[in-house]
Amino acid sequence: MYSLSLFVLLAVASRTLAQSQPFGQCGGQGWTGLTTCTDSWVCVFQNAYYSQCLQVAVSTTTAPTSTGTTSTIKTTTSSTGTASTTSATVTGFPASAPTTPPSNLVGKTPALGWNSWNAYGCNINEAKVLAAASQFGSLGLQAAGYQYINIDDCWPLTTRNSTTKQIVPDPTKFPNGISGVATQVHALGLKLGIYSDAGSATCAGFPGSLGFESIDAATFNAWGVDYLKYDNCNIPANWSDSALPQNGDWYNSNSAIRYRQMTAALAAQARPVQFSLCLWGNYEVWDWGARVGHSWRLSGDSTPTWSYITSIISTAVSHISNDTFGAHGDMDMMEIGNGNLTIQEQRTHFAAWIMLKSPILLGTDLSLLNSTQLAIITNKELLAFHQDLTVGPPAAPFTPFASAPVTSPLEYYSGKSAKGTHVFIINTSATAATKTFTFSAVPGLGTSGTFSVHDMWAGVDLAGTYAASASFSVTVAPHDTVAYFINVL
Ligand SMILES: *[C@@H]1O[C@H](CO)[C@@H](O)[C@H](O)[C@H]1NC(C)=O
Ligand SMILES: *[C@@H]1O[C@H](CO)[C@@H](O)[C@H](O)[C@H]1NC(C)=O
Ligand SMILES: *[C@@H]1O[C@H](CO)[C@@H](O)[C@H](O)[C@H]1NC(C)=O
Ligand SMILES: *[C@@H]1O[C@H](CO)[C@@H](O)[C@H](O)[C@H]1NC(C)=O
Ligand SMILES: *[C@@H]1O[C@H](CO)[C@@H](O)[C@H](O)[C@H]1NC(C)=O
Ligand SMILES: *[C@@H]1O[C@H](CO)[C@@H](O)[C@H](O)[C@H]1NC(C)=O
């Protein structure tokens, strides 16, 4: 046995800056969010991709000695507060790692639901979860297609049952257990999701499922769990991977195998479970995610900021070729209702998750949403595009007219549904410019024919008919997104 120390990055104290919430992400490669923690919490380096706000000043994990495996762990630290790099070269993977695919009974279209984390963090309980389930009915979310009520981290006690080795729901938070919540959620016609971690502990320090996959999958099945978000904190050293591809095949990396073990354990249960891989966009997960789960996170945690929305759109766009039925790049939970996003930015947030076919898990106290926000997240036509059962791939960028300016993220997207062709336009530019596209430039519309434009947000046909060579122009509010269906006349 040996110990692997985690390195503590003390945050630069600044009372004027917003600070990351307890157990929130505060750093890592590609991270654009907050890098300091609230008082008495410190930003702790976990790996090159993830630093996290923890309460402990110094944390130590013990990694089991590897058997049948050759491990070389190299660690470098930096005194400047930049993330340290831990690289590990591991050879000799478990010979018989399972190759069971995820269930094809669930997860064909991206999940629609709610998750407790962005609203409540660790401060969750049965009442809050059941309130969200009840609001799915009263606010029209269930009628719009929202199904999953997902409990995130911090639901159990910190130790497993010493006899059965099962994870034990915290009785003060969940007096009727998770099965009691599931029964009530199912009675409403909804589905229940739970959270665990492919390591020795969850990000908030509760029991992880690595090495306990069969017990936990059986327990979740017995409780009536329909969805599992599977996180990537607290990985024992002998299970880690180098930041570089191993023979270019990340499906056979230790990281993928940690997830494959849970896929197989879930498949051995009666109840189909939608399996959400949360490896924060590492290990080329888009190349192997569909063989292991139904969706894979593309980045670190979301934040309610325009910079997060624009950066994750660009990330998602670069991997859309891997998205189709049962295979969804996950742009992370919705922030509508949180922070200071303008209503136009909230509309773009929703439209982008829709057109790129990310899972949409609402992440706020639903009782605080106003009627404008509810209208956005229950928009029938946008949700129909997202849940379309005939076309799997998401919308993709197109060039709207010859020599159109290139922006970041890209502004013009088109996609197919059972109905036909759709166009989405985001206004990201800092200069006032009317958004324009030529009909013949939209993939699939062709160079002849006559078209009209239907506004999906408003559910109305716009005036005017257009030849293929004609252009359509619209003034888009700052950071807003328009969504159109193109009628072929
Ligand atoms: C890491 O060590 C544990 C405990 O010995 C073992 O069960 C597991 O297979 C090892 N993982 C790898 C990838 O070798
Ligand atoms: C562990 O599980 C067993 C069997 O369900 C139960 O009888 C026992 O009370 C549990 N122990 C604890 C400490 O919860
Ligand atoms: C993912 O997309 C890349 C780039 O288009 C492609 O090379 C790769 O084969 C795709 N993998 C899967 C599993 O779709
Ligand atoms: C929202 O704005 C307020 C006031 O400017 C600020 O204190 C707060 O940190 C902002 N919230 C986020 C999430 O950016
Ligand atoms: C709802 O809140 C947004 C800000 O998040 C605001 O722009 C909008 O006007 C509000 N709608 C109503 C009906 O109050
Ligand atoms: C688009 O948004 C930008 C703000 O980023 C704004 O300056 C511009 O006027 C908007 N363009 C149009 C056509 O509304």
Side-chain angles (χ1 to χ4, degrees):
M1 303 283 273
Y2 64 94
S3 289
L4 173 71
S5 296
L6 297 178
F7 298 91
V8 176
L9 306 177
L10 288 168
V12 179
S14 169
R15 299 194 183 279
T16 57
L17 290 173
Q19 293 172 316
S20 205
Q21 64 174 324
F23 302 114
Q25 185 172 358
C26 54
Q29 200 172 298
W31 173 246
T32 57
L34 304 171
T35 54
T36 60
C37 305
T38 49
D39 283 353
S40 87
W41 293 71
V42 290
C43 189
V44 178
F45 174 81
Q46 298 272 342
N47 57 47
Y49 305 105
Y50 202 82
S51 296
Q52 189 192 17
C53 292
L54 295 176
Q55 211 161 17
V56 290
V58 176
S59 156
T60 304
T61 58
T62 304
T65 310
S66 61
T67 47
T69 300
T70 318
S71 307
T72 316
I73 310 296
K74 290 175 291 179
T75 307
T76 56
T77 56
S78 153
S79 57
T80 60
T82 49
S84 349
T85 307
T86 303
S87 64
T89 313
V90 181
T91 56
F93 306 115
S96 57
T99 56
T100 322
S103 169
N104 61 13
L105 300 175
V106 293
K108 179 174 182 177
T109 59
L112 284 175
W114 177 87
N115 173 293
S116 59
W117 185 256
N118 290 351
Y120 301 118
C122 269
N123 191 16
I124 46 166
N125 58 41
E126 177 180 302
K128 286 174 178 168
V129 173
L130 292 179
S134 152
Q135 284 149 355
F136 266 28
S138 60
L139 299 176
L141 292 161
Q142 188 170 358
Y146 290 82
Q147 252 190 327
Y148 289 96
I149 298 289
N150 293 353
I151 300 170
D152 207 280
D153 205 348
C154 306
W155 58 269
L157 295 176
T158 51
T159 52
R160 290 173 178 268
N161 179 307
S162 58
T163 312
T164 65
K165 306 297 180 201
Q166 287 178 303
I167 306 183
V168 183
D170 184 336
T172 59
K173 293 174 179 169
F174 295 98
N176 300 299
I178 300 301
S179 63
V181 178
T183 301
Q184 296 182 69
V185 165
H186 291 158
L188 294 170
L190 298 169
K191 294 182 172 178
L192 186 77
I194 201 82
Y195 165 98
S196 191
D197 187 284
S200 57
T202 69
C203 296
F206 295 91
S209 292
L210 185 65
F212 294 90
E213 292 87 352
S214 295
I215 293 173
D216 292 351
T219 305
F220 297 155
N221 178 68
W223 289 346
V225 165
D226 305 294
Y227 185 109
L228 175 63
K229 172 179 170 182
Y230 209 40
D231 220 335
N232 195 40
C233 282
N234 299 302
I235 312 311
N238 76 321
W239 276 107
S240 65
D241 280 304
S242 161
L244 297 169
Q246 311 214 359
N247 306 325
D249 185 6
W250 285 94
Y251 179 70
N252 284 318
S253 67
N254 280 325
S255 300
I257 290 169
R258 286 185 287 112
Y259 283 76
R260 285 162 57 184
Q261 292 183 170
M262 182 53 93
T263 311
L266 293 171
Q269 308 302 321
R271 210 176 172 86
V273 171
Q274 182 154 177
F275 192 29
S276 153
L277 315 179
C278 184
L279 305 93
W280 319 312
N282 301 319
Y283 321 113
E284 307 290 337
V285 64
W286 31 82
D287 257 346
W288 53 268
R291 281 180 276 169
V292 179
H294 302 95
S295 65
W296 50 86
R297 280 277 296 282
L298 291 161
S299 72
D301 289 0
S302 64
T303 59
T305 56
W306 180 242
S307 64
Y308 176 80
I309 292 170
T310 51
S311 93
I312 194 69
I313 290 172
S314 293
T315 303
V317 165
S318 64
H319 301 296
I320 45 175
S321 58
N322 298 126
D323 296 340
T324 186
F325 288 131
H328 312 292
D330 183 350
M331 299 162 76
D332 200 13
M333 278 104 63
M334 301 301 286
E335 297 284 3
I336 289 175
N338 304 331
N340 302 323
L341 296 171
T342 68
I343 201 69
Q344 291 79 16
E345 290 167 345
Q346 295 176 56
R347 201 153 36 220
T348 293
H349 183 1
F350 187 72
W353 270 237
I354 288 281
M355 71 183 185
L356 298 172
K357 298 204 175 179
S358 168
I360 292 180
L361 296 169
L362 306 172
T364 199
D365 174 350
L366 299 172
S367 70
L368 301 179
L369 293 174
N370 70 25
S371 59
T372 317
Q373 293 167 316
L374 283 169
I376 291 171
I377 61 177
T378 58
N379 183 284
K380 279 193 172 53
E381 296 196 23
L382 276 89
L383 287 166
F385 181 86
H386 187 254
Q387 296 294 310
D388 193 277
L389 289 169
T390 61
V391 179
F398 74 98
T399 303
F401 52 88
S403 62
V406 172
T407 58
S408 179
L410 295 166
E411 293 185 313
Y412 294 84
Y413 298 81
S414 75
K416 303 283 182 202
S417 74
K419 286 173 66 181
T421 300
H422 302 253
V423 169
F424 303 86
I425 309 170
I426 307 173
N427 179 11
T428 65
S429 75
T431 56
T434 299
K435 302 300 170 194
T436 297
F437 66 89
T438 304
F439 287 86
S440 59
V442 178
L445 288 188
T447 53
S448 61
T450 308
F451 307 98
S452 70
V453 176
H454 174 89
D455 179 342
M456 292 168 68
W457 282 119
V460 297
D461 287 337
L462 303 182
T465 59
Y466 300 84
S469 59
S471 288
F472 179 85
S473 292
V474 58
T475 299
V476 186
H479 294 181
D480 209 348
T481 293
V482 294
Y484 296 131
F485 171 67
I486 310 297
N487 289 307
V488 180
L489 301 175

